[in-house]
């Protein structure tokens, strides 16, 4: 149930019943000419809605957090970076807010890989306060993605506006995808890319890594099925034992 869609009376009832707060976390950044700047927000929000429906009254969904750490894309049109420190503080503050309603577990449903460091830092800080911050970034999807992907990766471990992310968008937000504009882009990464911070503007002028033209709704549906099963199974382990029996 989405918290921001409820009246005060409805919110009071929903918060009293919930055990987990779901937080969709995305980013505002460019994703080429075929996807909108809010791609990560749409993915996080719509995937979170599927989890919310499956969990029922055990979960309450917070409004989507649309700003995050996008240091690497600074200089590309539309990128908005709030940095790791502010994002970490926001995650900590939101989890503390939920504790005020008796909800000690907040699950971040994250669709932007640049948020990893802030999520980890917030989770460690909250653990010292006996609060749980869970972080899910397409959990359990990697084996399925490796099996389905027909195009080569631009860089190992990177997923940005490529075949995989575009397939997810075709499954979750197809009305926003302009497949006629999808084109491959494989920038020449600097040799020392793994060992020093480098903004993408230093070696490319287009925010796509890979070949989105190979994406399909069928691939997206399969990817979603894999990550939905893994994420939901993990979330249910954090419900009270009597709920999880």
């Amino acid at each position: 149930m989405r918290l921001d869609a409820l009246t005060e009376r409805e919110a009071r009832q929903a918060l009293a019943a919930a055990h987990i707060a779901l937080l969709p976390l995305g980013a505002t950044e460019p994703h080429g000419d075929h996807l909108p700047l809010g791609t990560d927000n749409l993915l996080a929000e719509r995937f979170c809605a599927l989890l919310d429906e499956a969990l029922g009254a055990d979960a309450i969904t917070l409004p989507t957090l649309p700003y995050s750490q996008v240091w690497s894309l600074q200089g590309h049109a539309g990128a908005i970076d709030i940095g790791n420190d502010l994002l970490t503080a926001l995650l900590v503050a939101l989890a503390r807010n939920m504790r005020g309603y008796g909800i000690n577990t907040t699950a971040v449903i994250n669709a932007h890989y640049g948020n990893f460091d802030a999520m980890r830092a917030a989770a460690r800080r909250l653990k010292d306060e006996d609060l749980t911050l869970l972080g899910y970034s397409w959990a359990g999807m990697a084996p399925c993605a490796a099996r389905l992907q027909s195009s080569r990766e631009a860089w190992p471990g990177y997923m940005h506006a490529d075949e995989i992310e575009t397939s997810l968008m075709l499954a979750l937000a197809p009305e926003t995808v302009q497949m006629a504009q999808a084109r491959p882009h494989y920038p020449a990464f600097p040799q020392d890319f793994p060992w020093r911070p480098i903004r993408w503007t230093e070696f490319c002028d287009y925010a796509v890594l890979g070949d989105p033209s190979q994406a399909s709704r069928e691939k997206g549906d399969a990817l979603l099925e894999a990550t939905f099963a893994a994420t939901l199974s993990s979330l249910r382990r954090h419900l009270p034992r009597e709920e999880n029996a």
Side-chain angles (χ1 to χ4, degrees), residues 135-183:
Y136 298 98
S137 304
W138 305 120
M141 192 180 76
C144 182
R147 184 174 69 254
L148 293 177
Q149 187 165 358
S150 59
S151 58
R152 65 180 176 90
E153 287 184 306
W155 189 269
Y158 273 60
M159 183 185 83
H160 186 81
D162 62 346
E163 177 183 354
I164 297 303
E165 189 167 41
T166 303
S167 293
L168 288 168
M169 281 291 281
L170 287 170
L172 286 170
E175 76 281 6
T176 70
V177 182
Q178 301 182 48
M179 283 303 292
Q181 301 299 321
R183 58 183 173 88

Coordinates of all heavy atoms in Angstrom, one line a residue, residues 135-183:
G135 N 18.9 -3.9 1.4 CA 19.1 -3.4 0.1 C 19.0 -4.4 -1.0 O 19.7 -5.4 -1.0
Y136 N 18.1 -4.1 -2.0 CA 17.8 -5.1 -3.1 C 18.1 -4.3 -4.4 O 17.4 -3.3 -4.7 CB 16.4 -5.6 -3.0 CG 16.1 -6.4 -1.8 CD1 15.5 -5.8 -0.7 CD2 16.5 -7.7 -1.7 CE1 15.2 -6.6 0.4 CE2 16.2 -8.5 -0.5 CZ 15.6 -7.9 0.5 OH 15.3 -8.6 1.6
S137 N 19.0 -4.8 -5.2 CA 19.3 -4.2 -6.5 C 19.2 -5.3 -7.5 O 20.2 -5.9 -7.9 CB 20.7 -3.5 -6.5 OG 20.8 -2.6 -5.4
W138 N 18.0 -5.6 -7.9 CA 17.7 -6.7 -8.8 C 18.3 -8.0 -8.3 O 19.0 -8.7 -9.0 CB 18.2 -6.4 -10.2 CG 17.7 -5.1 -10.8 CD1 18.4 -4.0 -11.2 CD2 16.3 -4.8 -11.0 NE1 17.6 -3.0 -11.6 CE2 16.3 -3.4 -11.5 CE3 15.1 -5.4 -10.8 CZ2 15.1 -2.8 -11.8 CZ3 13.9 -4.7 -11.2 CH2 14.0 -3.5 -11.7
A139 N 18.0 -8.4 -7.1 CA 18.5 -9.6 -6.4 C 18.1 -10.8 -7.2 O 17.0 -11.0 -7.7 CB 17.9 -9.7 -5.0
G140 N 19.1 -11.7 -7.4 CA 18.9 -13.0 -8.1 C 18.7 -12.9 -9.6 O 18.4 -14.0 -10.2
M141 N 18.9 -11.8 -10.2 CA 18.7 -11.6 -11.6 C 19.9 -12.0 -12.5 O 19.8 -12.3 -13.6 CB 18.3 -10.2 -11.9 CG 17.7 -10.0 -13.3 SD 17.2 -8.2 -13.6 CE 18.9 -7.5 -13.9
A142 N 21.1 -11.9 -11.9 CA 22.3 -12.1 -12.7 C 22.4 -13.4 -13.5 O 22.7 -13.3 -14.7 CB 23.5 -12.0 -11.8
P143 N 22.1 -14.6 -13.0 CA 22.1 -15.8 -13.8 C 21.2 -15.7 -15.0 O 21.5 -16.1 -16.1 CB 21.7 -16.9 -12.8 CG 22.1 -16.3 -11.5 CD 21.8 -14.9 -11.6
C144 N 20.0 -15.2 -14.8 CA 19.0 -15.1 -15.8 C 19.5 -14.1 -16.9 O 19.4 -14.3 -18.1 CB 17.7 -14.6 -15.3 SG 16.3 -14.5 -16.5
A145 N 20.1 -13.0 -16.5 CA 20.6 -12.0 -17.4 C 21.7 -12.5 -18.2 O 21.8 -12.3 -19.5 CB 21.0 -10.7 -16.6
A146 N 22.6 -13.3 -17.6 CA 23.7 -13.9 -18.4 C 23.2 -14.9 -19.4 O 23.8 -15.0 -20.5 CB 24.6 -14.6 -17.4
R147 N 22.1 -15.6 -19.1 CA 21.6 -16.5 -20.0 C 20.9 -15.9 -21.2 O 20.9 -16.3 -22.4 CB 20.6 -17.4 -19.3 CG 20.0 -18.6 -20.1 CD 19.2 -19.5 -19.3 NE 18.0 -18.9 -18.9 CZ 17.7 -18.6 -17.6 NH1 18.6 -18.7 -16.7 NH2 16.5 -18.0 -17.3
L148 N 20.2 -14.7 -20.9 CA 19.3 -14.1 -22.0 C 20.1 -13.1 -22.8 O 19.7 -12.9 -24.0 CB 18.1 -13.4 -21.3 CG 17.1 -14.3 -20.6 CD1 16.0 -13.5 -20.0 CD2 16.5 -15.3 -21.6
Q149 N 21.1 -12.5 -22.3 CA 21.7 -11.4 -23.0 C 22.4 -11.9 -24.2 O 23.3 -12.7 -24.2 CB 22.7 -10.6 -22.1 CG 23.3 -9.4 -22.7 CD 24.0 -8.5 -21.6 OE1 24.0 -8.8 -20.4 NE2 24.6 -7.4 -22.1
S150 N 22.1 -11.3 -25.4 CA 22.7 -11.6 -26.6 C 23.8 -10.7 -27.1 O 24.6 -11.0 -27.9 CB 21.6 -11.7 -27.7 OG 20.9 -10.5 -27.9
S151 N 23.8 -9.4 -26.5 CA 24.8 -8.5 -26.8 C 25.9 -8.5 -25.8 O 25.7 -9.0 -24.7 CB 24.2 -7.1 -26.8 OG 23.6 -6.8 -25.6
R152 N 27.1 -8.1 -26.2 CA 28.2 -8.1 -25.3 C 28.1 -6.9 -24.3 O 27.5 -5.9 -24.6 CB 29.5 -8.0 -26.0 CG 29.8 -6.8 -26.8 CD 31.1 -6.8 -27.5 NE 31.4 -5.6 -28.3 CZ 32.0 -4.5 -27.9 NH1 32.4 -4.4 -26.7 NH2 32.1 -3.5 -28.7
E153 N 28.7 -7.1 -23.1 CA 28.7 -6.1 -22.1 C 29.7 -5.0 -22.5 O 30.7 -5.3 -23.1 CB 29.1 -6.6 -20.7 CG 28.1 -7.5 -20.0 CD 28.6 -7.9 -18.7 OE1 29.7 -8.5 -18.6 OE2 27.9 -7.6 -17.7
A154 N 29.3 -3.8 -22.2 CA 30.3 -2.7 -22.4 C 31.4 -2.7 -21.4 O 32.6 -2.4 -21.8 CB 29.6 -1.3 -22.3
W155 N 31.1 -3.1 -20.2 CA 32.1 -3.2 -19.1 C 31.5 -4.2 -18.1 O 30.3 -4.1 -17.8 CB 32.4 -1.9 -18.4 CG 33.5 -2.0 -17.5 CD1 33.5 -2.2 -16.2 CD2 34.9 -1.8 -17.8 NE1 34.8 -2.3 -15.6 CE2 35.7 -2.0 -16.6 CE3 35.6 -1.5 -19.0 CZ2 37.1 -1.9 -16.6 CZ3 37.0 -1.5 -19.0 CH2 37.7 -1.6 -17.8
P156 N 32.3 -5.2 -17.6 CA 31.8 -6.2 -16.7 C 31.1 -5.6 -15.5 O 31.7 -4.7 -14.8 CB 33.0 -7.0 -16.3 CG 34.0 -6.8 -17.5 CD 33.7 -5.4 -18.0
G157 N 29.9 -6.0 -15.2 CA 29.2 -5.6 -14.1 C 28.4 -4.3 -14.2 O 27.6 -3.9 -13.3
Y158 N 28.5 -3.7 -15.4 CA 27.8 -2.4 -15.6 C 26.5 -2.7 -16.4 O 26.4 -3.5 -17.3 CB 28.6 -1.4 -16.4 CG 29.5 -0.6 -15.5 CD1 30.5 -1.2 -14.7 CD2 29.4 0.8 -15.5 CE1 31.3 -0.4 -13.9 CE2 30.2 1.6 -14.7 CZ 31.2 1.0 -13.9 OH 32.0 1.7 -13.1
M159 N 25.4 -2.0 -15.9 CA 24.1 -2.2 -16.6 C 23.5 -0.8 -16.7 O 23.0 -0.3 -15.7 CB 23.2 -3.1 -15.8 CG 21.8 -3.3 -16.5 SD 20.7 -4.3 -15.5 CE 20.0 -3.1 -14.4
H160 N 23.6 -0.2 -17.9 CA 23.0 1.2 -18.0 C 22.5 1.4 -19.4 O 23.2 1.5 -20.4 CB 24.1 2.2 -17.7 CG 23.6 3.6 -17.7 ND1 22.9 4.2 -16.6 CD2 23.5 4.6 -18.6 CE1 22.5 5.4 -16.8 NE2 22.9 5.7 -18.1
A161 N 21.2 1.5 -19.5 CA 20.5 1.7 -20.7 C 20.8 0.7 -21.8 O 20.7 0.9 -23.0 CB 20.8 3.1 -21.2
D162 N 21.2 -0.5 -21.4 CA 21.7 -1.5 -22.3 C 20.5 -2.5 -22.6 O 19.3 -2.2 -22.4 CB 22.8 -2.3 -21.7 CG 22.5 -3.0 -20.4 OD1 21.4 -2.7 -19.8 OD2 23.2 -3.8 -19.9
E163 N 20.9 -3.7 -23.1 CA 19.9 -4.7 -23.4 C 19.1 -5.1 -22.2 O 17.8 -5.2 -22.3 CB 20.6 -5.9 -24.0 CG 19.6 -7.1 -24.4 CD 20.4 -8.3 -24.9 OE1 21.6 -8.2 -25.1 OE2 19.7 -9.3 -25.1
I164 N 19.7 -5.3 -21.1 CA 19.0 -5.8 -19.9 C 18.1 -4.7 -19.3 O 16.9 -4.9 -19.0 CB 20.1 -6.2 -18.8 CG1 20.9 -7.4 -19.4 CG2 19.4 -6.6 -17.5 CD1 20.0 -8.6 -19.8
E165 N 18.7 -3.5 -19.0 CA 17.8 -2.4 -18.4 C 16.7 -2.0 -19.4 O 15.5 -1.8 -18.9 CB 18.7 -1.2 -18.1 CG 17.9 -0.2 -17.3 CD 18.8 0.9 -16.7 OE1 19.7 1.3 -17.3 OE2 18.5 1.2 -15.5
T166 N 16.9 -2.0 -20.6 CA 15.9 -1.7 -21.6 C 14.8 -2.8 -21.6 O 13.6 -2.5 -21.7 CB 16.4 -1.5 -23.0 OG1 17.4 -0.4 -22.9 CG2 15.4 -1.0 -24.0
S167 N 15.2 -4.0 -21.5 CA 14.2 -5.1 -21.4 C 13.3 -5.0 -20.2 O 12.1 -5.2 -20.2 CB 14.9 -6.5 -21.4 OG 15.6 -6.7 -22.6
L168 N 14.0 -4.6 -19.0 CA 13.2 -4.4 -17.8 C 12.2 -3.2 -18.0 O 11.0 -3.3 -17.5 CB 14.1 -4.0 -16.7 CG 15.0 -5.2 -16.1 CD1 16.0 -4.7 -15.2 CD2 14.1 -6.2 -15.4
M169 N 12.6 -2.2 -18.7 CA 11.7 -1.1 -19.0 C 10.5 -1.5 -19.9 O 9.4 -1.1 -19.7 CB 12.4 0.1 -19.6 CG 13.2 0.9 -18.5 SD 12.1 1.8 -17.4 CE 11.7 3.2 -18.5
L170 N 10.8 -2.4 -20.9 CA 9.8 -2.9 -21.7 C 8.7 -3.7 -21.0 O 7.6 -3.8 -21.4 CB 10.4 -3.7 -22.9 CG 11.1 -2.9 -24.0 CD1 11.9 -3.8 -24.9 CD2 10.1 -2.0 -24.7
A171 N 9.2 -4.3 -19.9 CA 8.3 -5.1 -19.1 C 7.5 -4.2 -18.1 O 6.3 -4.5 -17.8 CB 9.1 -6.2 -18.3
L172 N 8.2 -3.2 -17.5 CA 7.6 -2.5 -16.4 C 7.0 -1.1 -16.8 O 6.0 -0.6 -16.2 CB 8.6 -2.2 -15.3 CG 8.9 -3.4 -14.4 CD1 10.1 -3.2 -13.5 CD2 7.7 -3.8 -13.6
A173 N 7.6 -0.5 -17.8 CA 7.1 0.9 -18.3 C 7.2 1.0 -19.8 O 7.9 1.9 -20.3 CB 8.0 1.9 -17.6
P174 N 6.6 0.1 -20.5 CA 6.7 0.1 -22.0 C 6.3 1.4 -22.7 O 6.8 1.7 -23.7 CB 5.8 -1.1 -22.4 CG 4.8 -1.3 -21.3 CD 5.6 -0.9 -20.0
E175 N 5.4 2.1 -22.1 CA 4.9 3.3 -22.7 C 5.9 4.4 -22.8 O 5.8 5.4 -23.5 CB 3.6 3.8 -22.0 CG 3.9 4.5 -20.7 CD 4.1 3.6 -19.5 OE1 4.2 2.4 -19.7 OE2 4.2 4.1 -18.3
T176 N 7.0 4.3 -22.0 CA 8.1 5.3 -22.0 C 9.3 5.0 -22.9 O 10.2 5.8 -23.0 CB 8.6 5.5 -20.6 OG1 9.3 4.3 -20.2 CG2 7.4 5.7 -19.6
V177 N 9.3 3.8 -23.5 CA 10.4 3.3 -24.3 C 10.3 3.7 -25.7 O 9.2 3.4 -26.3 CB 10.6 1.8 -24.1 CG1 11.9 1.3 -24.9 CG2 10.8 1.4 -22.6
Q178 N 11.3 4.3 -26.3 CA 11.3 4.6 -27.8 C 12.3 3.7 -28.5 O 13.5 4.1 -28.7 CB 11.7 6.1 -28.0 CG 10.7 7.0 -27.3 CD 11.1 8.5 -27.5 OE1 11.3 8.9 -28.7 NE2 11.1 9.3 -26.5
M179 N 11.9 2.5 -28.8 CA 12.8 1.5 -29.3 C 13.4 1.9 -30.7 O 14.5 1.5 -31.1 CB 12.1 0.1 -29.4 CG 12.0 -0.6 -28.1 SD 13.6 -0.9 -27.3 CE 14.4 -2.0 -28.4
A180 N 12.7 2.8 -31.4 CA 13.2 3.2 -32.7 C 14.5 4.1 -32.5 O 15.2 4.2 -33.5 CB 12.1 4.1 -33.4
Q181 N 14.7 4.6 -31.3 CA 15.8 5.4 -31.0 C 17.0 4.6 -30.4 O 18.0 5.2 -30.1 CB 15.5 6.6 -30.1 CG 14.4 7.5 -30.7 CD 14.8 8.2 -31.9 OE1 16.0 8.6 -32.1 NE2 13.9 8.3 -32.9
A182 N 16.7 3.3 -30.1 CA 17.7 2.5 -29.4 C 18.9 2.2 -30.4 O 18.7 1.7 -31.5 CB 17.1 1.2 -28.9
R183 N 20.1 2.5 -29.9 CA 21.3 2.2 -30.7 C 22.4 1.8 -29.8 O 22.5 2.2 -28.7 CB 21.7 3.4 -31.6 CG 22.0 4.6 -30.8 CD 22.3 5.8 -31.8 NE 22.4 7.1 -31.1 CZ 23.6 7.5 -30.6 NH1 24.7 6.8 -30.7 NH2 23.6 8.7 -30.1

